[in-house]
Amino acid sequence: MNIEKLFVIGAGFMGSGIVENAAVKGLNVTVYDISQKQLDRSIGGITKNLEKSVAKGRMDAADKDAALSRIKCSTEITDCCDADAIIEAVSENRDIKVSIMKEIDKYAKEDAVIASNTSSISITSLGSVFRNPERFVGMHFFSPVPRMPLMEIVRGYQTSDEALERARKLGEFMGKSCIIAQDEAGFIVNRMLIPMLNEACVLVERRIGTIEEIDRGVKLGLNHPMGPLELMDMIGIDVELAVMEVLHHELGDPKYRPAVSLRRMVDSGFLGKKTGAGFYIYHEDGTKEPNPNLLKLR
């Protein structure tokens, strides 16, 4: 595969998942973030996840220690200079991603493959920042990364066959089944998923069903492992809103127009599990209940 060192940009939920997955599979990974506090939080979360795997018999303690030893943290983006592959996994905001891409282009070695974990933003557009856009590709992981078996590999208009193949081999090495998507907003999965998530929000707004009933309906009626409102809470309400806004702007189709309640939830700080409140309120003992503030919606 000729990829031994991985550099992951962003120590949030997705970035941490990518780091954990790669380290468990045997790659040396450096995770970069501007915040040392966020890096500490990320390593703490990864450690906790691996300890749970050991407790459940899915992993040996020695393998856990070996995986953790392969992870390094950095607050210096210049440390990407010796990486064979670089994956950006920051907020779904084009301006933020572009500013990072410009920095990567200064320091990445010439033969490194560079990827974005974006779930909606054009790979061609982001790749235009690079002096050599042929090596830039989309690698869209799904949440939670260590458990979800799918990866969308997105080919920009200038992505080379070599970059596409290296991204596919890296994904397969990490245990993913890879599908190739062309560079159109939302790619494959989100083009289908986002309208359903948005409609679930509308159902809450109009009181057509309760929060719990909507989730139970999808789980038991469509055989999904998680309801749409639970899923949005796990991914992040702000993340889903950003994706919907990109799709609505790029495609102009009303079915991608974000529900009003999503904007109001973000304004209120109801971002999902990461803030302890989204469609549900999350308690320290692991239980949850519908967010009473949303029950007041008409």
Side-chain angles (χ1 to χ4, degrees):
M1 182 182 65
N2 71 2
I3 292 177
E4 297 180 358
K5 294 182 180 180
L6 178 64
F7 191 85
V8 177
I9 300 173
F13 181 65
M14 289 300 294
S16 297
I18 294 169
V19 170
E20 178 182 333
N21 190 166
V24 167
K25 292 297 184 179
L27 287 173
N28 292 309
V29 192
T30 298
V31 53
Y32 161 82
D33 201 283
I34 58 174
S35 167
Q36 183 61 52
K37 183 177 180 181
Q38 183 61 43
L39 287 169
D40 294 340
R41 187 181 297 119
S42 173
I43 295 300
I46 292 171
T47 301
K48 185 176 181 180
N49 290 342
L50 297 184
E51 287 174 345
K52 285 182 180 178
S53 294
V54 172
K56 293 179 179 180
R58 298 172 183 164
M59 173 184 282
D60 294 334
D63 291 335
K64 177 206 74 175
D65 292 338
L68 290 173
S69 72
R70 288 190 280 268
I71 302 173
K72 295 180 180 179
C73 296
S74 174
T75 56
E76 300 293 334
I77 201 164
T78 54
D79 288 338
C80 74
C81 64
D82 63 346
D84 302 307
I86 300 169
I87 300 176
E88 168 271 312
V90 301
S91 303
E92 195 70 356
N93 179 296
R94 187 183 184 279
D95 291 341
I96 294 174
K97 290 181 185 294
V98 165
S99 67
I100 289 171
M101 299 304 171
K102 289 179 178 178
E103 291 299 302
I104 296 172
D105 198 38
K106 293 178 186 177
Y107 305 113
K109 62 182 184 178
E110 291 185 6
D111 62 344
V113 62
I114 303 171
S116 174
N117 178 56
T118 181
S119 56
S120 61
I121 300 172
S122 167
I123 294 300
T124 303
S125 175
L126 292 175
S128 66
V129 171
F130 294 98
R131 288 168 291 179
N132 178 12
E134 290 85 0
R135 63 172 170 169
F136 185 65
V137 63
M139 292 180 69
H140 179 212
F141 294 81
F142 291 80
S143 305
V145 176
R147 296 204 301 271
M148 293 296 283
L150 181 67
M151 176 190 291
E152 284 182 321
I153 299 177
V154 186
R155 180 172 206 151
Y157 278 31
Q158 297 188 73
T159 302
S160 68
D161 291 341
E162 180 186 359
L164 199 75
E165 182 64 12
R166 291 182 73 191
R168 184 186 65 79
K169 287 183 177 179
L170 175 57
E172 291 178 350
F173 183 83
M174 293 174 67
K176 307 305 181 188
S177 177
C178 299
I179 57 176
I180 308 298
Q182 296 305 312
D183 189 20
E184 188 168 318
F187 316 132
I188 295 173
V189 176
N190 273 329
R191 285 289 286 269
M192 298 183 286
L193 175 64
I194 289 299
M196 184 186 77
L197 299 183
N198 202 36
E199 191 62 23
C201 299
V202 174
L203 295 180
V204 174
E205 290 177 8
R206 298 183 182 179
R207 289 193 169 186
I208 295 174
T210 67
I211 290 171
E212 292 172 305
E213 287 169 337
I214 293 165
D215 276 340
R216 193 182 313 131
V218 169
K219 286 189 286 189
L220 300 183
L222 302 180
N223 202 29
H224 288 202
M226 183 179 290
L229 306 176
E230 293 173 312
L231 178 60
M232 282 189 280
D233 272 1
M234 183 187 71
I235 295 172
I237 306 301
D238 54 335
V239 175
E240 291 297 349
L241 175 60
V243 172
M244 289 181 194
E245 288 178 328
V246 170
L247 288 173
H248 187 235
H249 174 75
E250 289 278 329
L251 303 174
D253 194 318
K255 68 185 176 185
Y256 298 112
R257 182 186 296 118
V260 173
S261 59
L262 275 184
R263 299 186 189 279
R264 299 297 174 263
M265 289 176 71
V266 172
D267 292 341
S268 302
F270 298 148
L271 306 185
K273 292 187 75 172
K274 61 187 174 185
T275 59
F279 286 98
Y280 294 89
I281 300 294
Y282 296 87
H283 303 294
E284 291 185 4
D285 63 0
T287 61
K288 67 179 188 292
E289 62 181 321
N291 187 337
N293 292 282
L294 301 184
L295 301 180
K296 303 172 186 175
L297 292 175
R298 296 291 185 271

